[in-house]
Structure formats: C-alpha cells, structure tokens
Amino acid sequence: MGLKISNWDDGKQEEFSACENSIFKELYLTYFHNNLEGPFFKAKKAKAVRVSELEKIKDFKTLMNLSDSWLKQLEIENHKEPIIQELSIETRRDLKKLNKKYSGLNKIFKRQKDDFRLKKDKIVLQSKFIFLLVKSVIENNDSKDFEINFSNEIIEFGIYSLVHIISRHYAEPIKGDEDKTYHYNNFFPAELHLDLKDILIEIDKLNIININLTDRIIFKFKNVTYKLWIQKRVKQVKGGGNIKIFRIQTFYPIYSGKDLKDISENYNENEISENLSVFVSK
C-alpha cells in the first residue's frame, strides 16, 4: 500500500501566531541583510527566487506591522523577561536620538517623514532580531559557557553583555553611528561568548593582568586591535546572598590611528600565538 498524501488544506504560515518569529526572521534577513538594497531573493523549493514588486510591497507592510507591535513591547519600562528589559533600554535610547535628529520641521514634509519612519523601523526591527538571536544563544548554551575564569576571578558574559555589544557594535549600515566602531570579521554574535572565553583563557596563562587593578583588556586578534571593558559588580544569587563578579560591559575594535598610536607608545605587546597578542601598560 503506497503513501497517501492528504488533500487537507492546513492554511498559510502567516495565519498561525506560532510562526510569527520564523516569518519575521525570513523577511528581516531577506531585506535587511544588505540594508534594503535589492534585488531581493527568497528560497523557494530549494531555489533562490527573485522577489516580485507586489510581494515586496506586501512584505514591507508585514514588517511595518511587526515593527509597530514590537515597539509597544519596547515602550514598557519594566519587563520580567531580562532580554527584553535590556533591549528596551538600548532601543529607547536609539529612538530618542533619532527623534531628536528629526525634531521640529523635519517631520512635517513627506520625504522627511518617510525617512524618519524607515530609520525608526530599522532600529525597532533590528531590536526584535537581536532579541531572537540573544534568546537562542542563551537557550542553546550551558550557563558555564558564559563564565570565564580569569585572574583568579569569574568574569561574566551575560545577557547585558550580549545585548549591549550586539546592539552597539554590529550592523553599521542600520546604526549609522559614526562615534562607534563595528565588528566586520573575526567575531560573530552567536559565538562571541565562546570566542572571548577562549581568548581570555589564553591571555590568563601569561599571568600578567590583574583584573582587580584594571577595567580593560586590550588585545590584537588576526591583526585587528580590540578593547574589552570589564566592570566589577555585585550580583544577587538565590540562597547565596550578594557576591562580587566582574561583567563584560562592551567589546569593540579599535581603528583610530590616534588610539592605535597611544597603545603603541604606552603599552607593551606580548605575543601569545601567531594570531593573538595582548597589550600591558608600560
């Protein structure tokens, strides 16, 4: 007896709320992976098919609706979900800067209003994408993966670290903040905590950095110089009271000639391997 294929119509993917995140990720990556610069393609039946103008308009309307819905979540100031709590703070800060830039007459004329709406949606939709990314990273890794033994202390790379770094130092075309530097190669968001853990373990083998005496670690990896900021914090542990920890605050590449010159003049470079070295103050 052969396999019988059902003729039952299960409906469309967009009709099921459980599919919302998968629909969003497909649309976001289709249109924003290259900052809305077409042509755009979707995978259909194992083939890359160019998106028609009609489908593009429909998809943009869907993304705008998703942006409005997510913005309502971000406008709430207190969340039980820690990822949304951190993301809402970051995103409201970015939106405040955008509103300031487009204040007054800039919102009266259609071109400026359309430009404002586009930039707002970029910020909000990126925030939703980061939420799903961070949630996936946290859920698919062991809690110990986010703890780094360094200088006889524990450095945490947690939700705050992930949200802050991904929000501020990735996706330059969407952010467009010229005061920030951005990761292009070497470090990808989903593996960032593991890559930094491996690097810090190697640096710690030299036993030349006391984390109690500094709040930054400067290192060179694959010919790019990076600065890692670490802050001493107090953390409440259930059943254990308050404990001292060190938390990774931010992490970014250094490209400024002035900053690189300052490092060269005031730090000694200690080679660890062909691709990794660490700088220690003279």
Side-chain angles (χ1 to χ4, degrees):
M1 185 177 179
L3 180 66
K4 184 178 180 180
I5 299 175
S6 171
N7 292 320
W8 184 264
D9 182 4
D10 291 324
K12 297 179 180 179
Q13 187 184 28
E14 55 265 29
E15 294 173 349
F16 298 92
S17 60
C19 297
E20 181 181 304
N21 288 338
S22 63
I23 292 171
F24 164 73
K25 284 192 285 187
E26 181 196 18
L27 293 180
Y28 185 82
L29 292 173
T30 296
Y31 295 105
F32 286 90
H33 82 284
N34 198 30
N35 196 29
L36 292 174
E37 293 185 10
F40 306 107
F41 296 87
K42 288 184 182 179
K44 294 181 180 179
K45 296 182 180 180
K47 292 182 179 179
V49 179
R50 186 165 179 165
V51 177
S52 68
E53 282 299 311
L54 189 62
E55 185 177 6
K56 186 172 73 173
I57 292 169
K58 175 177 169 288
D59 288 343
F60 281 2
K61 286 181 179 178
T62 299
L63 284 168
M64 290 174 72
N65 289 334
L66 288 169
S67 175
D68 291 339
S69 175
W70 184 245
L71 180 59
K72 290 177 182 177
Q73 290 287 317
L74 298 173
E75 288 172 341
I76 299 171
E77 294 191 359
N78 294 302
H79 294 270
K80 291 182 179 179
E81 162 64 73
I83 302 175
I84 300 182
Q85 179 65 18
E86 296 296 345
L87 259 177
S88 63
I89 294 170
E90 287 285 336
T91 311
R92 288 198 302 269
R93 176 187 57 81
D94 287 342
L95 291 173
K96 186 176 180 180
K97 287 173 65 176
L98 182 68
N99 272 307
K100 187 175 181 181
K101 181 179 178 182
Y102 281 83
S103 62
L105 293 175
N106 283 336
K107 288 186 187 177
I108 294 177
F109 303 102
K110 186 178 186 304
R111 183 176 177 181
Q112 281 79 8
K113 286 173 70 175
D114 289 345
D115 192 43
F116 171 79
R117 171 75 202 221
L118 176 60
K119 286 189 166 107
K120 185 191 79 170
D121 284 340
K122 281 184 178 182
I123 291 170
V124 174
L125 292 171
Q126 188 205 30
S127 170
K128 184 175 177 68
F129 185 78
I130 291 172
F131 167 72
L132 296 173
L133 174 62
V134 173
K135 192 171 187 288
S136 174
V137 171
I138 297 297
E139 290 178 349
N140 291 292
N141 287 271
D142 188 86
S143 60
K144 291 294 181 183
D145 292 334
F146 302 96
E147 296 179 356
I148 306 163
N149 290 302
F150 187 90
S151 182
N152 296 315
E153 302 286 358
I154 298 294
I155 297 177
E156 274 198 2
F157 187 101
I159 289 171
Y160 174 89
S161 313
L162 262 174
V163 167
H164 180 93
I165 295 168
I166 297 174
S167 292
R168 296 194 182 190
H169 298 289
Y170 283 88
E172 180 182 12
I174 290 176
K175 288 298 184 183
D177 189 339
E178 296 179 356
D179 295 328
K180 306 288 182 187
T181 59
Y182 298 87
H183 295 281
Y184 303 116
N185 300 301
N186 299 336
F187 296 100
F188 299 97
E191 295 88 31
L192 183 57
H193 62 297
L194 297 174
D195 291 337
L196 286 179
K197 183 171 185 174
D198 289 341
I199 285 172
L200 288 176
I201 287 172
E202 291 302 310
I203 291 174
D204 196 42
K205 289 177 181 178
L206 297 180
N207 197 31
I208 55 176
I209 295 179
N210 184 342
I211 200 63
N212 284 286
L213 301 178
T214 185
D215 59 359
R216 75 205 72 174
I217 297 174
I218 303 171
F219 64 86
K220 184 186 290 184
F221 182 67
K222 293 184 178 180
N223 293 317
V224 179
T225 302
Y226 296 91
K227 184 173 286 188
L228 183 69
W229 288 91
I230 299 166
Q231 187 179 78
K232 189 183 294 186
R233 310 281 296 181
V234 174
K235 179 181 178 181
Q236 286 187 334
V237 178
K238 191 174 181 180
N242 294 332
I243 63 169
K244 179 188 73 173
I245 65 160
F246 291 84
R247 184 177 74 183
I248 290 177
Q249 295 293 103
T250 191
F251 169 63
Y252 52 84
I254 300 171
Y255 301 124
S256 162
K258 180 182 177 182
D259 292 339
L260 292 172
K261 182 181 178 184
D262 178 72
I263 292 169
S264 175
E265 292 175 350
N266 296 291
Y267 291 79
N268 290 318
E269 184 175 0
N270 298 267
E271 185 175 320
I272 297 171
S273 66
E274 182 182 352
N275 288 321
L276 178 63
S277 60
V278 63
F279 296 89
V280 178
S281 182
K282 291 181 180 178

